[in-house]
Amino acid sequence: MTLSRKSINSGLAIGAGTAFIALIGMLTVFQGRFIITGVLPLSTIILAGLLLAAGYVAARRLPADSGRTSQLANGALAGAVTVLVMVAAVLVATQINAWALGLTMDPVLPNVNDALRALLALGQEQPLVGYVLLAGLGLLLGAAGSQIGVLSNQVKGMTVQVILIIIVLGMLQDQINSIISLLDAVWITLFVTLGYAIAVWRNHHRLVQRLVEPLLIGAVAAIVGGLLLLAGGANATTAPALFGSPAPAILSSFILGRSTVGMLVLLAVAGGALSAVGGLISCSSAGVHRATTTLLASLLTLGILNSTKTITLPAAIVIAIILVATQLLTLRTAARAQEFHSEFKPDEKRTNQILVAIAGLAFALILPQLMTNYINNVLGLIGLYIMMGLGLNIQVGFAGMLNLGYVAFFAIGAYTVGILTTPNTLTCGGVSPIPTSPQDIAAVCTGITTFWIAWPFAILASGIAGLLVSVPVLGLRGDYLAIVTLGFGEIIRIVTLSDAFKPYLGGAQGIVNISPPVIDLTGISASLVNTGLPLLSDLGRAVAQPLRLTQATDVYYLILAGIVVTMFISYRLSNSRLGRAWRAMRSDETVAQAMGINLVRTKLLAFFIGAAFAGVGGALFGSYIRSIFPNSFTLIVSINVLSLIIIGGLGSLPGVLIGAAIIFGLPEALREFQEFRLLMFGALLVVMMLIRPEGIIPPSTPRLEDQAQKALAEEGA
């Protein structure tokens, strides 16, 4: 056994970082934020994670032939050094504060206080005893961290995923504890599992058979269950009380609140559809399989959180067991599902992918009805950045053209909608609308349009702007192209601030009172009511008045429609001849041109389509916020969009979704720590990029020889 100097260096480096977060007050602030109520504060998780990291790094820096004893010793040394550096820094800072107070000055480091010292002393009356205990804890955790590298990648990934889910649940428990009841979660999970089990048991090799049998059996099982509930006297008022859930069981209450026949029909439809989803997942790709099982496990954990309203220690244990069991089952079942998926003929495989997309879309349609208004606002923001990410992914991920001024096209889309839907010099025929009374605006400003008319113009304006920018920079690559596009983004921001364009763009005051999207179906309302059919009559009465899309839930569906369209276009382009030309150009423009690719046309199309996608998001942003200002379109927006496609995986369409959720969902989880939010977010991004530099979901590279071999095999069969 030998102790390495590198282990001491690892402890010093991580100890310096640990001392930093202690001196700025993070540990004391997080001490009051419990992930597991009354048991596990966030500060303990952070400190334990850093000590484990110290041991892991120390073991990684040892020679490959080092024995386990040497790894344990060096990991323990690194953990102890980390604790000593942190404690020493706090003690030195305490003396500095005492010296400053002796000179009648304010403390140099005000966050170094009695609370921090008590935390590091582990609550002991004698601080030295507490520091020794903390050093011993550093030894143990450092030694444990040194053995992380021994674990398989699957075990490490499973452990990290379970820990992260519990931490996120703990941090968001006040916002998400009423999303879904335990009854609904169990009901959904049971029927999906039933369909999956039937498909695996029957083991059919045709997609239709793997869907129809679970659908029929699931519908029958749901009807039988409904009859048993009716026999037991269940109704809409008793549904929320099942499983001890204090929040409404939305799905169950909706079904049980119908007439007997209506209830049985709804149960059959819901049970059959969920079971069919289970059958579909049994023969889908491994990625879809893992995502679905994780979603079901998450629904169960949310149901448990709904019942307890806070994560207690028993609830955390149950949640961990559910998540671990799901991961262990998925290790085998996902590979089996991938085998079935690979055996499908191309038509069946395509049908499977379409059905998976439809199931995902159905879930996205139901999602906002379960969420609070706050979370729907966050989902709307994520959706806007997904559309921008899809556009920039075409320019950077597909075509390899680095664009740092992408926010300019987003701004053009927003301002186009703002100009066309509000009174200004343009829509008022060259006359300033300021002296016009509100009653005369409609008569004077005849150029004002609705959102539905302005939206296509916003997309077109952004696309044309992309073409105009791309023409003078066709010969630029890499950093030079990035600098030019960065300049264009700043030009647009300065133009929006300019007094010369204030009659049109509003200057620093921006454009306010933008009209929201309005759905006006009053013309067909009477016709629907007069049909005499209950469902159509209810629909007719619902649209008797124009519907103004002002709520977060309403705008969510509009944003979702934009995501579906842009995602579909991106998917079709990625597998088209143009998409292959973009990838060839990204690899090497000279070789691509030698192979006959028209670089001018290919670059122009990349800029036009990418900018048009930004226009879609900008138009929705303007109508959603209903006020746009120049400071909403700064460089940081472009950096955020670029970050999300890098984190998700350059050129990966699912990566855009994951990247947007991380970039804009994670900061919301940390919002209560306003003081340290960006620091924590930045540190997590650095760690993530060190662990997964290729992105979370890197794109799969198509191999022509594999495709040719597969085609020959299908012909032989």
Side-chain angles (χ1 to χ4, degrees):
M1 181 186 71
T2 58
L3 296 178
S4 172
R5 184 177 180 84
K6 293 181 178 179
S7 301
I8 298 177
N9 293 336
S10 300
L12 290 173
I14 297 180
T18 309
F20 172 75
I21 66 172
L23 295 178
I24 64 176
M26 283 183 65
L27 289 181
T28 51
V29 170
F30 294 166
Q31 181 67 13
R33 184 61 170 90
F34 283 91
I35 300 300
I36 299 177
T37 305
V39 176
L40 185 62
L42 185 58
S43 59
T44 301
I45 295 176
I46 293 177
L47 188 56
L50 290 170
L51 294 175
L52 288 170
Y56 175 72
V57 172
R60 287 288 300 271
R61 301 181 70 181
L62 291 175
D65 57 351
S66 298
R68 177 164 296 184
T69 303
S70 181
Q71 292 177 351
L72 290 170
N74 283 275
L77 176 62
V81 171
T82 299
V83 170
L84 293 176
V85 170
M86 177 181 60
V87 171
V90 171
L91 294 178
V92 170
T94 301
Q95 294 301 317
I96 293 175
N97 284 343
W99 170 77
L101 291 173
L103 298 176
T104 66
M105 298 169 55
D106 292 331
V108 177
L109 295 168
N111 293 307
V112 179
N113 48 32
D114 293 337
L116 176 60
R117 288 188 289 272
L119 173 63
L120 298 183
L122 302 180
Q124 299 294 318
E125 294 183 1
Q126 295 294 328
L128 182 59
V129 175
Y131 297 152
V132 172
L133 292 175
L134 185 60
L137 185 62
L139 286 168
L140 293 175
L141 290 176
S146 68
Q147 299 305 301
I148 293 177
V150 179
L151 304 175
S152 65
N153 291 331
Q154 291 178 338
V155 174
K156 286 189 288 188
M158 178 178 63
T159 305
V160 170
Q161 184 175 1
V162 170
I163 292 174
L164 287 179
I165 290 177
I166 293 178
I167 291 175
V168 171
L169 287 174
M171 295 182 68
L172 292 177
Q173 53 188 302
D174 293 335
Q175 288 83 19
I176 62 176
N177 58 14
S178 298
I179 288 180
I180 188 170
S181 70
L182 183 57
L183 174 61
D184 286 340
V186 171
W187 199 88
I188 292 170
T189 304
L190 282 177
F191 277 94
V192 173
T193 305
L194 174 65
Y196 186 93
I198 292 169
V200 173
W201 171 55
R202 297 290 292 168
N203 200 29
H204 291 297
H205 290 267
R206 296 292 304 275
L207 177 62
V208 174
Q209 293 173 316
R210 294 182 77 91
L211 295 178
V212 172
E213 286 189 357
L215 188 148
L216 295 177
I217 296 175
V220 172
I223 292 174
V224 172
L227 293 175
L228 292 176
L229 286 174
L230 287 175
N235 53 49
T237 59
T238 61
L242 297 176
F243 292 94
S245 177
I250 300 173
L251 179 62
S252 308
S253 299
F254 173 74
I255 291 176
L256 295 175
R258 300 285 170 171
S259 63
T260 301
V261 176
M263 168 190 166
L264 294 178
V265 171
L266 287 173
L267 278 172
V269 172
L274 290 171
S275 298
V277 169
L280 179 66
I281 299 307
S282 70
C283 55
S284 297
S285 64
V288 172
H289 186 281
R290 282 192 290 267
T292 306
T293 52
T294 302
L295 175 61
L296 291 176
S298 300
L299 288 178
L300 285 176
T301 59
L302 289 173
I304 294 171
L305 180 59
N306 189 337
S307 297
T308 60
K309 289 303 178 184
T310 183
I311 298 184
T312 59
L313 182 58
I317 294 173
V318 173
I319 289 173
I321 292 173
I322 291 174
L323 295 174
V324 171
T326 302
Q327 293 295 320
L328 292 175
L329 288 173
T330 305
L331 291 178
R332 297 184 61 182
T333 56
R336 183 60 177 160
Q338 182 66 55
E339 290 179 8
F340 269 101
H341 186 72
S342 302
E343 293 172 359
F344 281 150
K345 296 180 179 179
D347 290 342
E348 286 185 313
K349 190 175 295 185
R350 191 179 304 110
T351 303
N352 177 278
Q353 293 172 346
I354 292 173
L355 291 176
V356 168
I358 292 174
L361 180 60
F363 175 75
L365 290 172
I366 298 172
L367 187 62
Q369 303 302 325
L370 306 175
M371 301 295 180
T372 62
N373 194 56
Y374 167 75
I375 296 181
N376 283 332
N377 276 315
V378 175
L379 291 176
L381 177 65
I382 292 174
L384 290 174
Y385 275 92
I386 286 175
M387 281 184 281
M388 286 196 290
L390 291 171
L392 189 59
N393 197 43
I394 288 177
Q395 296 181 0
V396 180
F398 290 172
M401 299 184 297
L402 184 57
N403 186 348
L404 293 182
Y406 193 69
V407 67
F409 309 117
F410 182 66
I412 289 171
Y415 270 96
T416 301
V417 166
I419 291 171
L420 295 179
T421 58
T422 58
N424 54 69
T425 303
L426 179 65
T427 55
C428 296
V431 179
S432 175
I434 295 177
T436 307
S437 63
Q439 295 79 12
D440 299 331
I441 284 291
V444 175
C445 302
T446 56
I448 297 177
T449 64
T450 64
F451 168 80
W452 306 108
I453 297 175
W455 194 7
F457 283 102
I459 299 171
L460 184 62
S462 297
I464 293 174
L467 283 178
L468 295 177
V469 172
S470 64
V471 170
V473 300
L474 287 175
L476 299 180
R477 305 180 189 178
D479 300 339
Y480 302 100
L481 177 62
I483 292 172
V484 172
T485 54
L486 173 63
F488 175 71
E490 285 300 296
I491 289 172
I492 294 299
R493 186 181 65 83
I494 292 172
V495 166
T496 59
L497 285 168
S498 173
D499 290 337
F501 295 94
K502 188 173 182 179
Y504 306 96
L505 306 179
Q509 288 74 34
I511 301 176
V512 297
N513 298 325
I514 299 175
S515 299
V518 178
I519 298 178
D520 190 356
L521 299 177
T522 54
I524 64 172
S525 174
S527 302
L528 294 175
V529 173
N530 294 332
T531 58
L533 298 175
L535 184 61
L536 293 179
S537 298
D538 292 344
L539 179 61
R541 283 186 286 270
V543 299
Q545 298 293 330
L547 177 62
R548 293 169 60 87
L549 305 181
T550 56
Q551 300 297 320
T553 305
D554 302 331
V555 181
Y556 168 88
Y557 289 112
L558 194 58
I559 294 174
L560 180 62
I563 293 174
V564 171
V565 172
T566 52
M567 179 68 80
F568 176 76
I569 294 174
S570 296
Y571 175 76
R572 297 293 294 177
L573 287 173
S574 66
N575 296 290
S576 67
R577 184 174 182 178
L578 178 59
R580 292 192 294 271
W582 281 334
R583 287 195 292 269
M585 187 177 68
R586 180 189 63 186
S587 299
D588 194 310
E589 289 189 10
T590 304
V591 175
Q593 188 173 23
M595 294 297 293
I597 294 175
N598 188 330
L599 294 184
V600 173
R601 184 177 71 89
T602 306
K603 287 186 177 182
L604 290 177
L605 286 173
F607 264 98
F608 177 81
I609 297 173
F613 282 9
V616 176
L620 290 171
F621 174 78
S623 61
Y624 179 34
I625 304 299
R626 300 189 63 187
S627 298
I628 50 179
F629 305 98
N631 58 7
S632 299
F633 309 102
T634 57
L635 173 64
I636 191 63
V637 176
S638 297
I639 300 299
N640 285 337
V641 180
L642 182 62
S643 299
L644 75 88
I645 64 174
I646 292 175
I647 289 173
L650 281 174
S652 169
L653 297 182
V656 173
L657 306 180
I658 300 298
I662 291 175
I663 292 289
F664 301 101
L666 189 57
E668 293 301 323
L670 303 173
R671 181 168 290 279
E672 63 180 295
F673 309 114
Q674 185 68 34
E675 191 175 358
F676 309 111
R677 185 163 66 113
L678 294 180
L679 175 63
M680 295 173 64
F681 180 56
L684 289 172
L685 290 184
V686 170
V687 172
M688 185 179 300
M689 293 312 298
L690 289 174
I691 297 174
R692 299 276 295 187
E694 72 279 10
I696 297 177
I697 308 179
S700 58
T701 303
R703 294 171 56 89
L704 296 180
E705 57 268 30
D706 293 344
Q707 296 176 3
Q709 291 176 3
K710 188 180 295 184
L712 291 174
E714 292 174 356
E715 290 178 3

